[in-house]
Amino acid sequence: WDARAFRVYYLAGALLSAPLLGVGSLQLWKRPWAGTVGLIWAGLAVGVAVAMPVHGAFAGTAVPRAQAHLDALPRVVAIAGSSLGAAAVVIVAVATLRRRPLRNALIVAAVAAAGAASALTQTAVSAAAACFAAAAALLYLAVRSPAGGARKGV
């Protein structure tokens, strides 16, 4: 690990993953403003990742703790974006539950697994990896489920 690798890791995981899942859900729900919000968020996230001061020494191969290397502001931005992104996924899933119960249940389960994985990255890396794999598999199953895909609309 070094400061550059940590910035990329933090950008892709903490700043972009959940918010962009939320944007994708809103776009599938035919909200035309969601793409603009997603682009603005992505620009903000890249700006935060580039400008955030990264301090402390990186040692070993373990996933670095954000608290040890970042000030509060980038962490608050990540928490806000992740919370809003997860809320968007859940709101869209609940709003369209009658039309796609299996797919929506799988999507919500995937978001929950990804959230669990994020919480575990600092304490149980193997469990976090299993949760990330489960999240990816659940999202894949949701997209491939017979209830219809994004091509048919949400």
Side-chain angles (χ1 to χ4, degrees):
W1 288 95
D2 63 11
R4 291 172 300 174
F6 182 75
R7 284 179 198 280
V8 171
Y9 163 77
Y10 199 74
L11 173 65
L15 292 169
L16 288 177
S17 60
L20 292 183
L21 283 171
V23 167
S25 291
L26 291 167
Q27 287 181 312
L28 289 172
W29 201 26
K30 308 282 189 239
R31 299 304 184 253
W33 48 265
T36 302
V37 170
L39 285 173
I40 291 168
W41 179 262
L44 173 72
V46 168
V48 167
V50 168
M52 65 187 186
V54 178
H55 46 78
F58 294 93
T61 58
V63 176
R65 296 182 62 88
Q67 299 87 335
H69 300 287
L70 297 177
D71 296 331
L73 184 60
R75 296 190 333 253
V76 168
V77 170
I79 291 167
S82 294
S83 299
L84 291 171
V89 169
V90 171
I91 288 167
V92 172
V94 169
T96 60
L97 186 62
R98 287 189 179 170
R99 286 183 278 169
R100 316 169 332 147
L102 175 61
R103 290 186 70 208
N104 289 4
L106 290 168
I107 289 168
V108 170
V111 170
S118 294
L120 292 170
T121 56
Q122 303 303 315
T123 56
V125 176
S126 297
C131 288
F132 278 127
L138 288 164
L139 281 174
Y140 177 80
L141 290 172
V143 170
R144 291 303 202 177
S145 75
R151 294 181 280 315
K152 295 181 182 177
V154 176

